[in-house]
């Protein structure tokens, strides 16, 4: 059991594009277990590898109340989007900050599961938003990047200040 450290905004490493996973070996399997434990402990409903300083395209998600529905996606790709939705989002890398972000309402995603087997799923609601939020992390994007420059500056200052004081 290993809990990983989560990078906090505005850490520049959160703005690095993650690379495609080429082979799903023991190292990746262990990373997935550690990422899941880190997400559950946080607690959060999702976690992307770049948040724990691993620049590879891996995400874990569990939006269930019972925390027994782990979804692992390796090299996820959105292959279709329909409509628009807006939800108040938070992020483990931006603790204490919540804001509305506009996203696709219904998405179709393809990915590899933890054993490297390809699968597809259609998602909407919280799951759809969460998948888009996590794929953004893989592309070096954090939800505050969608906010006004003024809000981003305020959030940056607040984050740097709380990190100095802890
Ligand atoms: O725990 C999380 N909650 C959340 C709420 C609304 C929209 C997205 C999320 S993802 C977030 C965990 C996280 O930071 N994943 O990258
Ligand atoms: Ni996040």
């Amino acid at each position: 059991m290993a809990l990983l450290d989560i990078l906090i905004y505005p850490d520049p490493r959160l703005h690095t594009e993650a690379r495609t996973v080429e082979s799903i070996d023991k190292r990746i399997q262990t990373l997935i277990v550690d990422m899941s434990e880190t997400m559950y402990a946080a607690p959060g409903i999702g976690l992307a590898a770049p948040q724990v300083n691993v620049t590879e395209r891996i995400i874990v998600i569990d939006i269930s109340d019972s925390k027994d529905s782990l979804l692992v996606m390796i090299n996820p790709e959105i292959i279709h989007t329909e409509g628009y939705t807006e939800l108040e989002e938070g992020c483990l890398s931006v603790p204490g900050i919540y804001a509305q972000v506009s996203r696709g309402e219904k998405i179709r995603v393809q990915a590899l599961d933890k054993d490297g087997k390809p699968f597809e799923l259609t998602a909407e609601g919280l799951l759809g938003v969460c998948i888009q939020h996590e794929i953004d992390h893989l592309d070096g994007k954090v939800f505050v990047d969608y906010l006004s420059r003024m809000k981003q500056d305020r959030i940056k200052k607040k984050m740097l200040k709380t990190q100095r004081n802890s």
Side-chain angles (χ1 to χ4, degrees):
M1 159 123 191
L3 294 185
L4 308 171
D5 284 332
I6 297 175
L7 299 179
I8 302 299
Y9 181 86
D11 193 308
R13 290 171 289 183
L14 288 169
H15 291 108
T16 309
E17 192 181 332
R19 60 188 173 274
T20 302
V21 174
E22 299 294 352
S23 80
I24 297 162
D25 52 14
K26 192 72 200 294
R27 179 183 66 88
I28 298 289
Q29 306 272 6
T30 303
L31 174 64
I32 288 168
V33 171
D34 292 347
M35 281 176 61
S36 312
E37 288 171 354
T38 303
M39 171 185 73
Y40 287 126
I45 58 169
L47 189 72
Q51 292 181 276
V52 293
N53 200 22
V54 176
T55 42
E56 296 184 75
R57 304 189 75 83
I58 303 169
I59 66 183
V60 294
I61 290 176
D62 191 341
I63 62 159
S64 73
D65 288 331
S66 43
K67 298 295 164 205
D68 60 358
S69 305
L70 183 66
L71 174 64
V72 176
M73 297 183 127
I74 300 170
N75 302 337
E77 272 183 58
I78 295 173
I79 52 178
H80 185 75
T81 304
E82 236 177 78
Y84 293 92
T85 188
E86 217 168 272
L87 212 117
E88 177 145 282
E89 299 193 15
C91 182
L92 294 173
S93 294
V94 200
I97 304 291
Y98 303 89
Q100 299 272 336
V101 177
S102 173
R103 304 278 190 187
E105 180 181 37
K106 193 172 177 187
I107 57 171
R108 180 104 185 136
V109 194
Q110 64 171 39
L112 303 178
D113 71 12
K114 64 174 177 34
D115 303 309
K117 192 167 151 266
F119 70 101
E120 288 191 14
L121 70 80
T122 299
E124 52 194 321
L126 183 59
L127 180 60
V129 167
C130 191
I131 291 172
Q132 292 171 82
H133 174 116
E134 303 311 337
I135 291 178
D136 267 359
H137 279 301
L138 303 182
D139 293 328
K141 262 186 276 172
V142 180
F143 82 101
V144 299
D145 298 344
Y146 295 106
L147 309 179
S148 71
R149 194 54 162 276
M150 203 206 288
K151 282 186 181 166
Q152 290 183 37
D153 287 346
R154 270 211 305 264
I155 294 167
K156 267 179 211 164
K157 278 202 187 115
K158 184 176 176 195
M159 288 297 125
L160 292 170
K161 189 171 169 192
T162 46
Q163 283 178 80
R164 263 205 315 279
N165 297 334
S166 69

